Amino acid sequence: MKSPEPPSAGHAEVRIVAADPEAARHVAELLRRCFAATEARSYPAGADGGTRLHFTVDTTRMAEPVRSWLLTSQSSWDDHTQTDEI
């Protein structure tokens, strides 16, 4: 499987998977309050139900409280290895 192209500089692709579509929408709404974002695309999460939402956020356009929190909490990405991610 070919890896997807990364988003342009300053943008991040977001994937939310939840058993309840309303829970996925709540998380997406919180992110939209913090960052400029594209409209979420919704997909079924699997045979057992659930929802996947995909959208892109613009990390260069953050709300001020989020900007200060991100700047004070930055750490090395080496500490965050995820075995289930591409």
Coordinates of all heavy atoms in Angstrom, one line a residue:
M1 N 0.8 -1.2 0.0 CA 0.0 0.0 0.0 C 0.9 1.2 0.0 O 1.8 1.4 0.8 CB -0.9 0.0 1.2 CG -1.8 1.1 1.3 SD -2.9 0.9 2.8 CE -3.6 2.5 2.9
K2 N 0.6 2.2 -0.9 CA 1.4 3.4 -1.0 C 0.9 4.4 0.1 O -0.3 4.6 0.3 CB 1.1 4.0 -2.4 CG 2.0 5.2 -2.7 CD 1.7 5.7 -4.1 CE 2.5 6.9 -4.4 NZ 2.3 7.5 -5.7
S3 N 1.9 5.0 0.7 CA 1.6 6.0 1.7 C 1.0 7.2 1.1 O 1.4 7.7 0.0 CB 2.9 6.4 2.5 OG 3.4 5.4 3.2
P4 N 0.0 7.8 1.7 CA -0.6 9.0 1.2 C 0.3 10.2 1.2 O 1.3 10.2 2.0 CB -1.8 9.3 2.1 CG -1.5 8.6 3.4 CD -0.6 7.4 3.0
E5 N 0.1 11.2 0.3 CA 0.9 12.4 0.3 C 0.7 13.2 1.6 O -0.4 13.3 2.0 CB 0.6 13.2 -0.9 CG 1.0 12.6 -2.2 CD 2.5 12.6 -2.4 OE1 3.2 13.6 -2.0 OE2 3.0 11.6 -2.8
P6 N 1.7 13.7 2.2 CA 1.5 14.5 3.4 C 0.8 15.8 3.0 O 1.0 16.3 1.8 CB 2.9 14.8 3.9 CG 3.8 14.5 2.8 CD 3.1 13.6 1.8
P7 N 0.1 16.4 3.9 CA -0.5 17.7 3.6 C 0.5 18.8 3.5 O 1.7 18.6 3.8 CB -1.4 18.0 4.8 CG -0.8 17.1 5.9 CD -0.2 16.0 5.2
S8 N 0.1 19.9 2.9 CA 1.1 21.0 2.7 C 1.6 21.6 4.1 O 0.9 21.3 5.1 CB 0.4 22.2 1.9 OG -0.7 22.7 2.6
A9 N 2.7 22.3 4.1 CA 3.3 22.8 5.3 C 2.2 23.6 6.1 O 1.5 24.4 5.5 CB 4.5 23.7 5.0
G10 N 2.2 23.4 7.4 CA 1.3 24.2 8.2 C -0.1 23.5 8.3 O -1.0 24.1 9.0
H11 N -0.3 22.4 7.7 CA -1.6 21.7 7.7 C -1.4 20.3 8.2 O -0.4 19.7 8.1 CB -2.2 21.6 6.3 CG -2.6 23.0 5.8 ND1 -1.7 23.9 5.3 CD2 -3.8 23.6 5.7 CE1 -2.4 25.0 4.9 NE2 -3.7 24.8 5.2
A12 N -2.5 19.8 8.8 CA -2.5 18.4 9.4 C -3.8 17.7 9.0 O -4.8 18.3 9.1 CB -2.3 18.4 10.9
E13 N -3.6 16.5 8.5 CA -4.8 15.6 8.3 C -5.2 15.0 9.6 O -4.4 14.5 10.3 CB -4.4 14.5 7.3 CG -4.1 15.0 5.9 CD -5.4 15.5 5.2 OE1 -6.5 14.9 5.4 OE2 -5.2 16.5 4.4
V14 N -6.5 15.1 9.8 CA -7.1 14.5 11.1 C -8.1 13.4 10.8 O -8.9 13.5 9.8 CB -7.8 15.6 11.9 CG1 -8.5 15.1 13.1 CG2 -6.9 16.8 12.2
R15 N -7.9 12.3 11.5 CA -8.8 11.2 11.4 C -9.4 10.9 12.7 O -8.7 10.7 13.7 CB -8.1 9.9 10.9 CG -7.3 10.1 9.6 CD -8.2 10.0 8.4 NE -7.4 9.9 7.2 CZ -7.2 10.9 6.4 NH1 -7.7 12.1 6.7 NH2 -6.5 10.8 5.3
I16 N -10.7 10.9 12.8 CA -11.4 10.6 14.1 C -12.2 9.4 13.9 O -13.0 9.3 12.9 CB -12.3 11.8 14.5 CG1 -11.5 13.1 14.7 CG2 -13.1 11.4 15.8 CD1 -12.4 14.3 14.9
V17 N -12.0 8.4 14.7 CA -12.8 7.1 14.7 C -13.5 7.0 16.0 O -12.9 7.0 17.1 CB -11.9 5.9 14.4 CG1 -12.7 4.6 14.3 CG2 -11.1 6.1 13.1
A18 N -14.9 6.8 15.9 CA -15.7 6.7 17.2 C -16.8 5.7 16.9 O -17.3 5.6 15.8 CB -16.2 8.0 17.6
A19 N -17.2 5.0 18.0 CA -18.3 4.1 17.9 C -19.6 4.9 17.7 O -20.5 4.4 17.0 CB -18.4 3.2 19.2
D20 N -19.7 6.1 18.2 CA -20.9 6.9 18.2 C -20.6 8.1 17.2 O -19.7 8.9 17.5 CB -21.2 7.4 19.6 CG -22.4 8.4 19.6 OD1 -23.3 8.3 18.7 OD2 -22.4 9.2 20.6
P21 N -21.4 8.3 16.2 CA -21.2 9.4 15.3 C -21.2 10.8 16.0 O -20.5 11.7 15.6 CB -22.3 9.3 14.3 CG -22.7 7.9 14.3 CD -22.5 7.5 15.7
E22 N -22.0 10.9 17.0 CA -22.1 12.2 17.7 C -20.8 12.5 18.5 O -20.4 13.6 18.6 CB -23.3 12.1 18.7 CG -23.7 13.5 19.2 CD -24.2 14.4 18.1 OE1 -24.7 14.0 17.1 OE2 -24.0 15.6 18.3
A23 N -20.2 11.5 19.0 CA -18.9 11.6 19.7 C -17.8 12.1 18.7 O -17.1 13.1 19.0 CB -18.4 10.3 20.3
A24 N -17.8 11.6 17.5 CA -16.9 12.0 16.5 C -17.1 13.5 16.1 O -16.2 14.3 16.0 CB -17.0 11.1 15.3
R25 N -18.4 13.9 16.0 CA -18.7 15.2 15.7 C -18.3 16.2 16.8 O -17.9 17.3 16.5 CB -20.2 15.4 15.4 CG -20.6 14.9 14.0 CD -22.0 15.3 13.6 NE -23.0 14.4 14.3 CZ -23.4 13.3 13.9 NH1 -23.0 12.8 12.7 NH2 -24.4 12.6 14.5
H26 N -18.4 15.8 18.0 CA -18.0 16.7 19.1 C -16.5 16.9 19.1 O -16.1 18.1 19.3 CB -18.4 16.0 20.5 CG -19.9 16.1 20.8 ND1 -20.3 16.6 22.0 CD2 -21.0 15.8 20.1 CE1 -21.7 16.6 22.0 NE2 -22.1 16.1 20.8
V27 N -15.7 15.9 18.9 CA -14.3 16.1 18.8 C -13.9 17.0 17.6 O -13.1 17.9 17.7 CB -13.6 14.7 18.7 CG1 -12.1 14.9 18.4 CG2 -13.8 13.9 19.9
A28 N -14.6 16.8 16.5 CA -14.3 17.6 15.3 C -14.7 19.1 15.6 O -13.9 20.0 15.2 CB -15.1 17.1 14.1
E29 N -15.8 19.3 16.2 CA -16.2 20.7 16.6 C -15.2 21.3 17.5 O -14.8 22.5 17.3 CB -17.6 20.7 17.2 CG -18.1 22.0 17.6 CD -18.2 23.0 16.4 OE1 -18.5 22.5 15.3 OE2 -18.0 24.2 16.6
L30 N -14.6 20.6 18.4 CA -13.6 21.2 19.3 C -12.4 21.6 18.5 O -11.8 22.7 18.7 CB -13.2 20.2 20.4 CG -14.2 20.0 21.5 CD1 -13.8 18.9 22.4 CD2 -14.4 21.3 22.3
L31 N -11.9 20.8 17.6 CA -10.8 21.1 16.8 C -11.1 22.3 15.9 O -10.2 23.1 15.7 CB -10.4 19.9 15.9 CG -9.7 18.8 16.7 CD1 -9.5 17.6 15.8 CD2 -8.3 19.3 17.2
R32 N -12.3 22.4 15.4 CA -12.6 23.6 14.5 C -12.7 24.9 15.3 O -12.5 25.9 14.7 CB -14.0 23.3 13.9 CG -13.9 22.4 12.7 CD -15.3 22.4 11.9 NE -15.4 21.3 11.1 CZ -16.1 20.2 11.4 NH1 -16.8 20.1 12.5 NH2 -16.1 19.1 10.6
R33 N -12.9 24.8 16.6 CA -12.9 26.0 17.4 C -11.4 26.5 17.7 O -11.2 27.6 18.0 CB -13.5 25.8 18.8 CG -15.0 25.6 18.7 CD -15.6 25.4 20.0 NE -17.1 25.1 19.8 CZ -17.9 24.9 20.8 NH1 -17.4 24.8 22.1 NH2 -19.1 24.6 20.6
C34 N -10.5 25.6 17.5 CA -9.1 25.9 17.7 C -8.3 26.2 16.5 O -7.4 27.0 16.5 CB -8.4 24.7 18.4 SG -9.1 24.3 20.0
F35 N -8.7 25.6 15.4 CA -8.0 25.7 14.1 C -9.0 25.9 12.9 O -10.1 25.4 13.0 CB -7.2 24.5 13.8 CG -6.2 24.1 14.8 CD1 -6.5 23.1 15.7 CD2 -4.9 24.6 14.9 CE1 -5.6 22.7 16.7 CE2 -4.0 24.3 15.8 CZ -4.3 23.3 16.7
A36 N -8.5 26.6 11.9 CA -9.3 26.7 10.7 C -9.3 25.3 10.1 O -8.3 24.6 10.2 CB -8.6 27.7 9.7
A37 N -10.4 24.8 9.6 CA -10.5 23.4 9.1 C -11.4 23.3 7.9 O -12.3 24.1 7.7 CB -11.0 22.5 10.2
T38 N -11.1 22.3 7.1 CA -12.0 22.0 6.0 C -13.2 21.2 6.5 O -13.3 20.8 7.7 CB -11.3 21.0 4.9 OG1 -11.0 19.8 5.6 CG2 -10.1 21.7 4.4
E39 N -14.2 21.1 5.7 CA -15.4 20.4 6.1 C -15.1 18.9 6.2 O -14.3 18.3 5.4 CB -16.5 20.5 5.0 CG -17.8 19.9 5.3 CD -18.5 20.7 6.5 OE1 -18.3 21.9 6.6 OE2 -19.3 20.1 7.2
A40 N -15.6 18.3 7.3 CA -15.3 16.9 7.6 C -16.0 16.0 6.6 O -17.1 16.2 6.2 CB -15.7 16.5 9.0
R41 N -15.3 14.9 6.2 CA -15.9 13.9 5.3 C -16.2 12.7 6.3 O -15.3 12.3 7.0 CB -14.9 13.5 4.2 CG -14.6 14.7 3.3 CD -13.5 14.4 2.3 NE -12.3 13.9 2.8 CZ -11.3 14.6 3.3 NH1 -11.5 15.9 3.5 NH2 -10.2 14.1 3.8
S42 N -17.4 12.1 6.2 CA -17.8 11.1 7.1 C -17.8 9.7 6.3 O -18.3 9.7 5.2 CB -19.2 11.4 7.6 OG -19.6 10.3 8.4
Y43 N -17.3 8.7 7.0 CA -17.3 7.3 6.4 C -17.7 6.3 7.5 O -17.5 6.6 8.7 CB -15.9 7.0 5.9 CG -15.3 7.9 5.0 CD1 -14.4 9.0 5.4 CD2 -15.5 7.8 3.6 CE1 -13.9 9.9 4.5 CE2 -14.9 8.7 2.7 CZ -14.1 9.7 3.1 OH -13.6 10.6 2.3
P44 N -18.2 5.2 7.1 CA -18.5 4.1 8.1 C -17.2 3.6 8.6 O -16.2 3.6 7.9 CB -19.2 3.0 7.3 CG -19.3 3.5 5.9 CD -18.7 4.8 5.7
A45 N -17.1 3.3 9.9 CA -15.9 2.8 10.5 C -15.6 1.3 10.4 O -14.5 0.9 10.6 CB -15.9 3.2 12.0
G46 N -16.6 0.6 10.0 CA -16.5 -0.9 9.9 C -17.8 -1.6 10.0 O -18.9 -1.0 10.1
A47 N -17.7 -2.9 9.9 CA -19.0 -3.7 9.9 C -19.7 -3.6 11.2 O -21.0 -3.8 11.2 CB -18.6 -5.2 9.6
D48 N -19.1 -3.3 12.3 CA -19.7 -3.2 13.6 C -20.4 -1.8 13.8 O -20.9 -1.5 14.9 CB -18.7 -3.5 14.7 CG -18.2 -4.9 14.7 OD1 -19.0 -5.7 14.1 OD2 -17.1 -5.1 15.2
G49 N -20.3 -0.9 12.8 CA -20.8 0.4 13.0 C -19.8 1.4 13.3 O -18.6 1.2 13.1
G50 N -20.2 2.6 13.8 CA -19.2 3.6 14.1 C -19.0 4.5 12.9 O -19.6 4.4 11.8
T51 N -18.2 5.6 13.1 CA -18.0 6.6 12.2 C -16.5 7.0 12.1 O -15.8 7.0 13.1 CB -18.8 7.9 12.6 OG1 -20.2 7.6 12.5 CG2 -18.5 9.1 11.7
R52 N -16.1 7.3 10.9 CA -14.7 7.9 10.7 C -15.0 9.3 10.1 O -15.7 9.4 9.2 CB -13.9 7.1 9.7 CG -13.4 5.8 10.3 CD -12.5 5.1 9.3 NE -13.1 4.9 8.0 CZ -12.5 5.0 6.8 NH1 -11.2 5.3 6.7 NH2 -13.2 4.8 5.7
L53 N -14.3 10.3 10.7 CA -14.3 11.6 10.1 C -12.9 12.0 9.6 O -12.0 11.8 10.4 CB -14.8 12.7 11.1 CG -16.3 12.6 11.6 CD1 -16.5 13.7 12.6 CD2 -17.2 12.7 10.4
H54 N -12.8 12.5 8.5 CA -11.5 13.0 7.9 C -11.6 14.5 7.6 O -12.6 14.9 6.9 CB -11.2 12.2 6.6 CG -11.0 10.8 6.8 ND1 -10.6 10.0 5.8 CD2 -11.1 10.0 7.9 CE1 -10.5 8.7 6.2 NE2 -10.8 8.7 7.5
F55 N -10.6 15.2 8.0 CA -10.6 16.6 7.6 C -9.2 17.2 7.8 O -8.3 16.5 8.3 CB -11.6 17.5 8.3 CG -11.5 17.5 9.8 CD1 -10.9 18.5 10.5 CD2 -12.1 16.5 10.5 CE1 -10.9 18.5 11.9 CE2 -12.1 16.4 11.9 CZ -11.4 17.5 12.6
T56 N -8.9 18.4 7.3 CA -7.6 19.0 7.3 C -7.7 20.2 8.2 O -8.7 21.0 8.0 CB -7.1 19.4 5.9 OG1 -7.1 18.2 5.1 CG2 -5.7 20.0 6.0
V57 N -6.8 20.4 9.1 CA -6.7 21.6 9.9 C -5.5 22.5 9.5 O -4.5 21.9 9.0 CB -6.7 21.4 11.4 CG1 -7.9 20.7 11.9 CG2 -5.5 20.6 11.8
D58 N -5.7 23.8 9.5 CA -4.6 24.7 9.2 C -4.0 25.1 10.6 O -4.5 25.9 11.3 CB -5.2 25.9 8.5 CG -4.1 27.0 8.1 OD1 -3.0 26.9 8.6 OD2 -4.5 27.9 7.4
T59 N -2.8 24.6 10.9 CA -2.2 24.8 12.1 C -1.5 26.2 12.2 O -1.0 26.6 13.3 CB -1.1 23.7 12.5 OG1 -0.1 23.8 11.5 CG2 -1.7 22.4 12.5
T60 N -1.5 26.9 11.1 CA -0.9 28.3 11.1 C -2.0 29.3 11.6 O -1.7 30.4 11.9 CB -0.4 28.7 9.8 OG1 -1.5 28.8 8.8 CG2 0.6 27.7 9.3
R61 N -3.2 28.9 11.7 CA -4.3 29.8 12.1 C -5.0 29.2 13.4 O -6.0 28.6 13.3 CB -5.3 30.0 11.0 CG -4.7 30.7 9.8 CD -5.6 30.8 8.6 NE -7.0 31.1 8.9 CZ -8.0 30.8 8.1 NH1 -7.7 30.2 7.0 NH2 -9.2 31.1 8.4
M62 N -4.4 29.4 14.5 CA -4.8 28.9 15.8 C -5.5 30.0 16.7 O -5.1 31.2 16.6 CB -3.7 28.3 16.6 CG -3.0 27.1 15.9 SD -1.7 26.4 17.0 CE -0.4 27.5 16.5
A63 N -6.4 29.6 17.5 CA -6.9 30.5 18.5 C -5.8 30.8 19.6 O -5.0 29.9 19.8 CB -8.1 29.9 19.2
E64 N -5.8 31.9 20.2 CA -4.7 32.3 21.1 C -4.5 31.3 22.3 O -3.4 31.0 22.6 CB -4.9 33.7 21.6 CG -3.7 34.3 22.3 CD -2.5 34.2 21.4 OE1 -2.5 34.5 20.2 OE2 -1.4 33.9 22.0
P65 N -5.6 30.9 23.0 CA -5.3 29.9 24.1 C -4.7 28.7 23.6 O -3.8 28.1 24.3 CB -6.7 29.7 24.6 CG -7.5 30.8 24.2 CD -7.0 31.3 22.9
V66 N -5.0 28.2 22.4 CA -4.4 27.0 21.9 C -3.0 27.2 21.5 O -2.1 26.4 21.8 CB -5.2 26.5 20.7 CG1 -4.5 25.3 20.0 CG2 -6.6 26.1 21.1
R67 N -2.7 28.3 21.0 CA -1.3 28.7 20.6 C -0.4 28.6 21.8 O 0.7 28.0 21.8 CB -1.2 30.0 19.9 CG 0.2 30.4 19.5 CD 0.2 31.8 18.9 NE -0.7 32.0 17.8 CZ -0.5 31.7 16.6 NH1 0.6 31.2 16.2 NH2 -1.5 32.0 15.7
S68 N -0.8 29.2 22.9 CA 0.1 29.3 24.1 C 0.2 27.9 24.7 O 1.3 27.5 25.1 CB -0.4 30.3 25.1 OG -1.7 29.9 25.5
W69 N -0.8 27.1 24.7 CA -0.7 25.7 25.2 C 0.2 24.9 24.4 O 1.0 24.1 24.9 CB -2.1 25.1 25.3 CG -2.1 23.7 25.7 CD1 -2.0 23.2 27.0 CD2 -2.0 22.5 24.9 NE1 -1.9 21.8 27.0 CE2 -1.9 21.4 25.7 CE3 -2.1 22.3 23.5 CZ2 -1.9 20.1 25.2 CZ3 -2.0 21.0 23.0 CH2 -1.9 19.9 23.8
L70 N 0.1 25.0 23.0 CA 1.0 24.2 22.2 C 2.4 24.6 22.3 O 3.3 23.7 22.3 CB 0.5 24.3 20.7 CG -0.7 23.6 20.3 CD1 -1.1 24.0 18.9 CD2 -0.5 22.1 20.4
L71 N 2.7 25.8 22.4 CA 4.1 26.3 22.6 C 4.7 25.8 23.9 O 5.9 25.5 23.9 CB 4.2 27.8 22.5 CG 3.9 28.4 21.1 CD1 3.9 29.9 21.1 CD2 4.9 27.9 20.1
T72 N 4.0 25.7 24.9 CA 4.5 25.3 26.2 C 4.6 23.8 26.4 O 5.2 23.2 27.3 CB 3.7 25.9 27.4 OG1 2.4 25.4 27.3 CG2 3.8 27.4 27.4
S73 N 3.9 23.0 25.5 CA 3.8 21.6 25.7 C 4.5 20.8 24.6 O 4.3 19.6 24.5 CB 2.3 21.1 25.8 OG 1.7 21.4 24.5
Q74 N 5.3 21.4 23.8 CA 6.0 20.7 22.7 C 7.0 19.7 23.2 O 7.7 20.0 24.2 CB 6.7 21.7 21.7 CG 5.7 22.5 20.9 CD 6.4 23.5 20.0 OE1 7.6 23.7 20.2 NE2 5.7 24.0 19.1
S75 N 7.1 18.5 22.6 CA 8.1 17.5 23.0 C 8.5 16.8 21.7 O 8.0 17.0 20.7 CB 7.5 16.5 24.0 OG 6.5 15.8 23.4
S76 N 9.5 15.9 21.9 CA 10.1 15.2 20.8 C 9.1 14.2 20.2 O 8.4 13.5 21.0 CB 11.3 14.5 21.2 OG 11.7 13.6 20.2
W77 N 8.9 14.1 18.9 CA 8.0 13.1 18.3 C 8.6 11.7 18.4 O 7.9 10.7 18.3 CB 7.8 13.4 16.8 CG 6.9 14.6 16.7 CD1 7.2 15.9 16.3 CD2 5.5 14.6 17.0 NE1 6.1 16.7 16.4 CE2 5.0 15.9 16.8 CE3 4.6 13.7 17.4 CZ2 3.7 16.3 17.0 CZ3 3.2 14.1 17.6 CH2 2.8 15.4 17.4
D78 N 9.9 11.6 18.8 CA 10.4 10.2 19.0 C 9.7 9.5 20.2 O 9.7 8.3 20.2 CB 11.9 10.3 19.3 CG 12.7 10.9 18.1 OD1 12.2 10.7 16.9 OD2 13.8 11.4 18.3
D79 N 9.2 10.3 21.1 CA 8.5 9.7 22.3 C 7.1 9.2 21.9 O 6.4 8.6 22.8 CB 8.3 10.8 23.4 CG 9.7 11.3 23.8 OD1 10.7 10.7 23.5 OD2 9.7 12.3 24.5
H80 N 6.6 9.4 20.7 CA 5.2 9.1 20.4 C 5.0 8.1 19.3 O 4.2 8.3 18.4 CB 4.5 10.5 20.0 CG 4.5 11.5 21.1 ND1 5.6 12.3 21.4 CD2 3.6 11.7 22.1 CE1 5.3 13.0 22.4 NE2 4.1 12.7 22.9
T81 N 5.8 7.0 19.3 CA 5.7 6.0 18.2 C 4.3 5.3 18.3 O 4.0 4.8 19.4 CB 6.8 5.0 18.4 OG1 8.1 5.7 18.3 CG2 6.7 4.0 17.2
Q82 N 3.6 5.3 17.3 CA 2.3 4.6 17.2 C 2.5 3.4 16.2 O 2.7 3.6 15.0 CB 1.2 5.5 16.7 CG 1.0 6.6 17.7 CD 0.3 6.2 19.0 OE1 -0.5 5.3 19.0 NE2 0.7 6.8 20.1
T83 N 2.3 2.2 16.7 CA 2.5 1.0 15.8 C 1.4 0.8 14.8 O 1.5 0.2 13.8 CB 2.6 -0.3 16.7 OG1 1.5 -0.4 17.5 CG2 3.9 -0.2 17.6
D84 N 0.2 1.4 15.1 CA -0.9 1.2 14.2 C -1.1 2.3 13.2 O -2.1 2.4 12.5 CB -2.2 1.0 15.0 CG -2.6 2.2 15.8 OD1 -1.7 3.1 16.1 OD2 -3.8 2.4 16.2
E85 N -0.2 3.3 13.1 CA -0.3 4.4 12.2 C 0.7 4.2 11.1 O 1.8 3.6 11.2 CB 0.0 5.7 12.9 CG -1.0 6.1 13.9 CD -2.3 6.5 13.3 OE1 -2.3 7.0 12.2 OE2 -3.4 6.3 13.9
I86 N 0.4 4.8 9.9 CA 1.3 4.7 8.8 C 2.4 5.7 8.9 O 2.2 6.8 9.4 CB 0.6 5.0 7.4 CG1 -0.5 3.9 7.3 CG2 1.5 5.1 6.3 CD1 -1.4 4.1 6.1

